[in-house]
């Protein structure tokens, strides 16, 4: 080394005792001296280090990111250039292959030696081996990287949130589930996104987690997506604590469980709601009612319960079809629901039975007013297909202060409903203690009626059906009477309903058929037919054709002598077995006629396809004949229809000669009514029988 610069040597026991490596380089960056530690750390003998450029002494340097370190960025060069201490962590791949990490610090040496500014100085570079620490850090780094990667790519939503609920970190899946960007999420809190109803769903568990009683918990909650739609999620929350146990942050894992919830909700709906109308079903109703009664018992408010029933629903169902019936039920349900308060419960118990529970009611009058509003809404015309139907509703109302059970209250409302129906339908009645007695009375009638057949209290009366022009009796209609031991002679209106509802109809019907066939057998010369009324309940499952055949056989009567009167709805029942039953009867040769025609909603096509031979105009039209309005038009139209279908027609309930003339003018061929004869017992038929030889209208 010449150039006049003073070069200091680093030899000496003191330097060699140092743990730090020490390298001295001249202003040109050439290593001029090293200590023992330097030679040990760099893994090369002293001689191999001397004279080499300081920037590459011991190997080619890289920075912490692993990129080659340019010579000018080496601390020794920086220090030489700037005249100031420079430090860096750098890696050296040693000749032996092992990579070492060094913390290098370089300072201008002998700075007290004056030199012109910018003149490079000798540099003293010291370094320590930090390989062990660096490897540890790298290991940590890679596990952090791994965590970050796992976090980012996890198929379930993940978040790290601060103790204040702010999102600190969210992954891609979470942004997808919540339908919000990462930035949107990082600007808000979990609480802000949970639906208010679900906000406290995890309050208790959160407390236990914070208190260290549990490590994590799961909760199902709805979050608001960016679109405003709620999404059902299952959230697993755990709390991460520092070494000292101080809570640091929450880690959340979120799954979208909307599908599962939908399935769950569907099952719940099936279990608690009526599938046709979406109203509460019986079990939900009982639940709500029991709860409401409990509340009423503790307060001074009442619970009102209304039992409702659609008038003549069966008729609509039978004549317009089940789809139409379903549509009507749905419409009625929707109207009921829309005309009550959200806190009230509307339930469908099946068929056309509905129950309304109103809570927090002040008095019976209040409940009545509310009910009237519901009925006004429901009883507006509904258009179903080509038909306009006005749903009539009968209702029974009762109120309770909570002293009666749900079953009792429902029973009371049902009793009141029965009274409403009995008093003419399309009305409502309030439950009265006295009704219970009436219900008992009904039960009594049913029991009496059961025994009446065996006791021989039933009898048939016969009313003539005549040729309108000649007045000749062409047939007889049998009408059942009940000679009650205490109440005297009862007309069908007093007991037929009870009979239908208590399923006594098939046995009463069988008795009537036996009796009518017995009558025919006793009068072999009677040319006209005897018509027997049959109820829809006797058709189909009750096997009317078999019952008729048995009666005919028992009395040796030919089938063509018997006619059956079936109401419009009875004939038009869509059910297969009923249809088959009627066809069997027709093919046996028994005459079938539609009774009370015009009161149902039958479509013309169903009349055409029904196996009937004739129809009887309901007497409500006859009573209005001559009004120059609807009754006249309907009468004329039905008479024309009967004729064009080659079915014979009978006008019922003819009481005056004027009605007879009008019926004739409209085209009716046959009639029945007090003008021609009242229903009378067999014994009083006498003269009428003699004249009833004029051929059946059916032939
Ligand atoms: P329906 O088959 O329409 O019978 C005609 C009803 O009109 C009879 O009433 C008859 O007495 C009444 N009637 C006849 N002519 C006149 C009249 O000029 N003016 C008025 N205002 N009424 C007249 P009834 O006997 O009380 O029978 C009522 C209903 O009971 C019958 O109506 C029928 O549907 C049913 N019924 C009667 N007997 C039986 C039966 O054996 N089985 C079944 N299932 N139902 C029956
Ligand atoms: Mg009849
Ligand atoms: Mg009739």
């Amino acid at each position: 080394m010449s150039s006049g610069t003073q070069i200091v040597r680093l030899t000496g026991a003191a330097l060699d005792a140092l743990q730090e490596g020490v390298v001295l380089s001249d202003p040109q960056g050439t290593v001029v001296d090293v200590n023992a530690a330097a030679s040990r750390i760099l893994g090369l003998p002293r001689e191999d280090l001397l004279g080499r450029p300081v920037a590459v002494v011991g190997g080619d340097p890289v920075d912490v990111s692993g990129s080659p370190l340019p010579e000018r960025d080496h601390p020794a060069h920086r220090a030489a250039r700037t005249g100031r201490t420079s430090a860096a962590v750098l890696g050296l791949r040693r000749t032996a292959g092992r990579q070492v990490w060094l913390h290098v610090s370089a300072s201008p040496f002998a700075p007290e030696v004056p030199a012109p500014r910018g003149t490079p100085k000798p540099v003293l570079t010291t370094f320590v081996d930090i390989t062990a620490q660096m490897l540890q850090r790298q290991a940590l780094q890679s596990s952090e990287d791994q965590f970050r990667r796992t976090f980012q790519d996890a198929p379930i939503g993940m978040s790290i949130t601060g103790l204040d609920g702010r999102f600190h970190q969210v992954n891609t899946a979470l942004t997808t589930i919540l339908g919000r960007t990462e930035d949107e999420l990082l600007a808000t809190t979990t609480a802000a996104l949970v639906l208010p109803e679900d906000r406290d769903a995890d309050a208790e568990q959160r407390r236990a987690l914070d208190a260290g009683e549990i490590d994590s918990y799961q909760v199902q909650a709805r979050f608001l997506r960016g679109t405003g739609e709620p999404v059902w999620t299952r959230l697993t929350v755990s709390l991460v604590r520092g070494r000292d146990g101080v809570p640091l942050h929450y880690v959340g894992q979120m799954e979208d469980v909307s599908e599962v919830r939908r399935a769950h909700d569907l099952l719940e709906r099936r279990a608690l709601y009526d599938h046709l109308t979406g109203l509460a079903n019986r079990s939900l109703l009982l639940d709500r009612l029991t709860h409401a009664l409990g509340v009423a018992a503790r307060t001074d408010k009442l619970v009102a319960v209304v039992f409702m029933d659609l008038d003549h629903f069966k008729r609509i169902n039978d004549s317009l079809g089940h789809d139409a019936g379903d549509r009507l039920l749905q419409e009625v349900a929707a109207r009921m629901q829309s005309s009550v308060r959200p806190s009230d419960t509307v339930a469908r118990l099946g068929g056309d039975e509905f129950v309304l529970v109103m809570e927090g009611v002040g008095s019976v009058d209040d409940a009545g007013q509310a009910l009237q509003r519901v009925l006004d809404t429901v009883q507006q015309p509904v258009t179903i297909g080509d038909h306009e139907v006005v749903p009539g509703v009968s209702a029974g109302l009762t109120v309770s202060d909570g002293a009666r059970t749900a079953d009792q209250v429902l029973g009371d409302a049902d009793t009141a409903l029965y009274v409403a129906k009995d008093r003419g339908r399309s009305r409502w009645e309030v439950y009265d203690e006295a009704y219970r007695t009436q219900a008992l009375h009904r039960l009594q009638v049913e029991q009496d009626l059961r025994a009446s057949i065996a006791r021989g209290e039933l009898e048939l009366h016969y009313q003539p059906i005549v040729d309108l022009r000649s007045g000749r009796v062409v047939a007889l209609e049998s009408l059942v009477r009940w000679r009650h031991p205490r109440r005297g002679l009862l007309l069908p209106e007093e007991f037929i309903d009870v009979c239908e509802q208590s399923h006594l109809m098939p046995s009463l019907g069988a008795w009537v058929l036996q009796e009518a066939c017995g009558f025919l057998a006793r009068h072999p010369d009677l040319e006209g037919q005897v018509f027997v009324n049959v109820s829809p309940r006797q058709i189909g499952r009750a096997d009317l054709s078999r019952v008729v055949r048995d009666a005919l056989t028992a009395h040796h009567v030919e089938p063509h002598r018997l006619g059956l009167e079936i109401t419009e709805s009875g004939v038009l029942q869509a059910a297969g077995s009923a249809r088959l039953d009627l066809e069997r009867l027709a093919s046996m040769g028994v005459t079938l006629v539609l009774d009370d025609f015009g009161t149902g909603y039958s479509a013309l096509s169903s009349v055409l396809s029904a196996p009937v031979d004739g129809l009887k105009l309901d007497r409500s039209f006859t009573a209005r004949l001559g009004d120059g309005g609807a009754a006249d038009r309907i009468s004329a139209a039905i008479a024309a229809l009967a004729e064009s279908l080659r079915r014979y027609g009978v006008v019922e309930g003819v009481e005056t000669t004027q009605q007879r003339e009008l019926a004739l003018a409209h085209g009716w061929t046959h009639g029945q009514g007090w003008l021609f004869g009242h229903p009378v017992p067999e014994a009083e038929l006498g003269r009428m029988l003699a004249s009833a030889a004029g051929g059946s209208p059916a032939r």
Side-chain angles (χ1 to χ4, degrees):
M1 300 282 141
S2 51
S3 80
T5 313
Q6 188 188 5
I7 296 295
V8 184
R9 297 282 168 186
L10 295 174
T11 47
L15 271 178
D16 281 340
L18 278 179
Q19 289 296 310
E20 272 183 305
V22 180
V23 171
L24 180 66
S25 52
D26 68 13
Q28 284 71 44
T30 306
V31 175
V32 290
D33 205 355
V34 299
N35 73 346
S39 146
R40 189 183 69 247
I41 293 169
L42 299 176
L44 288 170
R46 189 163 179 271
E47 303 75 51
D48 287 2
L49 299 173
L50 298 179
R52 295 190 48 88
V54 69
V56 293
V57 73
D60 292 325
V62 293
D63 64 16
V64 282
S65 71
S67 323
L69 186 76
E71 185 185 75
R72 62 187 313 275
D73 288 341
H74 193 282
H77 283 270
R78 281 179 179 274
R81 207 168 55 243
T82 62
R84 277 197 294 267
T85 301
S86 171
V89 170
L90 52 87
L92 280 184
R93 187 165 291 282
R94 296 194 315 190
T95 332
R98 196 168 82 89
Q99 161 132 354
V100 287
W101 285 100
L102 306 176
H103 183 266
V104 180
S105 176
S107 307
F109 193 56
E112 69 280 7
V113 177
R117 248 181 96 79
T119 312
K121 293 201 158 104
V123 172
L124 188 66
T125 305
T126 61
F127 50 88
V128 285
D129 186 347
I130 56 163
T131 309
Q133 292 96 305
M134 280 302 277
L135 288 180
Q136 208 175 4
R137 216 183 105 182
Q138 271 178 347
L140 205 67
Q141 182 74 44
S142 81
S143 78
E144 246 170 51
D145 279 353
Q146 203 171 350
F147 169 75
R148 192 162 301 130
R149 230 173 298 125
T150 317
F151 182 87
Q152 219 20 270
D153 301 344
I156 60 171
M158 291 186 73
S159 66
I160 292 175
T161 51
L163 301 176
D164 57 357
R166 271 192 188 285
F167 287 106
H168 289 176
Q169 237 177 299
V170 296
N171 74 348
T172 316
L174 192 79
T175 60
T176 310
I177 293 174
L178 296 180
R180 295 170 190 270
T181 65
E182 182 172 346
D183 287 345
E184 284 169 350
L185 289 178
L186 295 182
T188 184
T189 63
T190 39
L193 299 184
V194 181
L195 248 58
E197 301 95 289
D198 296 351
R199 202 159 286 165
D200 295 329
D202 65 346
E204 168 51 27
Q205 304 193 76
R206 174 73 66 109
R207 188 206 57 73
L209 183 69
D210 291 347
E213 295 162 17
I214 51 174
D215 293 334
S216 69
Y217 66 82
Q218 264 195 359
V219 66
Q220 294 210 0
R222 279 160 297 176
F223 279 77
L224 265 187
R225 305 192 79 227
T227 56
E229 294 277 302
V231 56
W232 266 112
T233 68
R234 177 167 49 227
L235 191 59
T236 310
V237 183
S238 47
L239 180 59
V240 176
R241 293 171 189 274
R243 240 183 266 270
D244 43 7
V246 175
L248 297 178
H249 52 249
Y250 296 105
V251 174
Q253 298 177 38
M254 184 184 279
E255 289 165 85
D256 179 344
V257 292
S258 308
E259 285 304 320
V260 182
R261 284 302 293 217
R262 253 194 286 282
H264 173 265
D265 287 354
L266 201 71
L267 284 179
E268 188 178 80
R269 286 201 74 75
R270 289 258 167 83
L272 298 177
Y273 295 88
D274 171 47
H275 69 99
L276 179 67
T277 60
L279 296 179
N281 68 9
R282 184 185 291 271
S283 68
L284 183 57
L285 168 74
L286 284 175
D287 205 53
R288 298 249 179 99
L289 180 54
T290 307
H291 176 79
L293 289 169
V295 173
R298 293 193 299 274
T299 63
D300 58 352
K301 292 288 186 180
L302 302 169
V303 180
V305 177
V306 183
F307 223 111
M308 290 175 284
D309 189 306
L310 296 189
D311 299 333
H312 307 299
F313 175 68
K314 202 170 152 20
R315 194 185 287 171
I316 290 165
N317 217 8
D318 290 346
S319 50
L320 295 186
H322 288 284
D323 284 347
D326 285 355
R327 294 251 315 282
L328 181 65
L329 290 174
Q330 285 168 335
E331 178 60 28
V332 165
R335 290 178 179 186
M336 284 180 181
Q337 189 77 74
S338 72
S339 50
V340 300
R341 288 179 304 183
S343 56
D344 296 340
T345 299
V346 186
R348 176 175 171 242
L349 299 192
D352 57 343
E353 283 182 346
F354 296 86
V355 170
L356 165 63
V357 175
M358 296 183 276
E359 295 184 49
V361 171
S363 67
V364 182
D365 288 346
D366 289 353
Q369 276 170 20
L371 171 58
Q372 190 56 55
R373 276 197 300 278
V374 174
L375 297 182
D376 288 345
T377 308
V378 173
Q379 302 187 111
Q380 295 297 314
V382 189
T383 308
I384 291 180
D386 300 334
H387 300 262
E388 187 168 88
V389 176
V390 184
V393 180
S394 304
L397 166 68
T398 188
V399 293
S400 174
D401 58 2
R404 289 174 74 69
T405 67
D407 276 337
Q408 286 171 331
V409 176
L410 280 173
D412 293 350
D414 192 18
T415 304
L417 165 64
Y418 176 73
V419 175
K421 283 206 237 173
D422 207 40
R423 294 187 177 165
R425 301 177 193 261
S426 292
R427 55 185 291 150
W428 56 273
E429 294 291 336
V430 181
Y431 175 74
D432 187 308
E433 279 295 316
Y435 294 163
R436 226 193 305 243
T437 347
Q438 286 173 20
L440 285 175
H441 167 74
R442 218 175 123 69
L443 211 65
Q444 186 65 47
V445 169
E446 189 185 320
Q447 279 168 12
D448 284 0
L449 197 57
R450 249 175 239 285
S452 67
I453 302 176
R455 287 201 296 252
E457 292 167 9
L458 295 181
E459 55 188 65
L460 286 188
H461 286 198
Y462 299 88
Q463 185 179 29
I465 294 170
V466 305
D467 179 311
L468 275 182
R469 215 167 283 282
S470 65
R472 220 151 54 107
V473 177
V474 295
L476 297 172
E477 177 179 5
S478 72
L479 295 158
V480 69
R481 300 314 183 228
W482 181 9
R483 203 166 287 281
H484 195 278
R486 291 186 316 277
R487 299 167 61 207
L489 191 71
L490 302 182
L491 292 178
E493 63 175 22
E494 302 245 24
F495 59 92
I496 283 285
D497 260 6
V498 178
C499 203
E500 298 255 10
Q501 281 160 29
S502 61
H503 310 290
L504 280 171
M505 206 62 228
S507 41
L508 181 133
W511 179 86
V512 170
L513 279 162
Q514 286 287 341
E515 182 63 18
C517 287
F519 174 89
L520 281 165
R522 287 192 291 279
H523 303 278
D525 300 334
L526 181 77
E527 270 192 38
Q529 290 165 308
V530 167
F531 283 86
V532 169
N533 291 285
V534 294
S535 143
R537 285 197 178 272
Q538 293 172 256
I539 309 171
R541 257 188 312 159
D543 210 355
L544 181 63
S545 49
R546 187 186 51 76
V547 177
V548 167
R549 181 176 291 122
D550 288 352
L552 291 169
T553 315
H555 299 275
H556 308 289
V557 172
E558 288 189 60
H560 73 261
R561 299 186 68 200
L562 184 69
L564 300 179
E565 294 191 5
I566 306 167
T567 51
E568 210 176 325
S569 58
V571 161
L572 299 174
Q573 270 174 1
S577 66
R579 187 62 179 228
L580 208 69
D581 210 7
L582 291 182
E583 273 158 9
R584 265 194 220 116
L585 286 165
S587 63
M588 272 162 64
V590 173
T591 302
L592 299 178
V593 302
L594 282 175
D595 203 356
D596 303 344
F597 193 79
T599 54
Y601 296 90
S602 26
L604 218 56
S605 57
S606 5
V607 180
L608 277 167
S609 64
V612 295
D613 305 289
L615 45 88
K616 298 178 80 171
L617 180 71
D618 190 70
R619 66 174 186 274
S620 58
F621 294 103
T622 315
R624 280 154 49 215
L625 286 184
D627 66 356
D632 282 325
R633 284 201 304 278
I634 290 169
S635 159
I638 294 180
L641 172 70
E643 183 171 8
S644 71
L645 296 179
R646 299 183 188 289
R647 312 287 205 265
Y648 78 91
V650 181
V651 215
E652 291 181 344
V654 180
E655 296 179 3
T656 65
T657 47
Q658 194 212 1
Q659 286 168 347
R660 171 177 166 265
E661 296 313 315
L662 283 166
L664 270 171
H666 290 161
W668 292 97
T669 49
H670 297 86
Q672 182 181 1
W674 296 341
L675 183 67
F676 314 114
H678 285 261
V680 291
E682 184 177 351
E684 291 169 35
L685 271 175
R687 191 183 46 81
M688 211 144 53
L689 271 186
S691 70
S696 152
R699 282 177 291 142

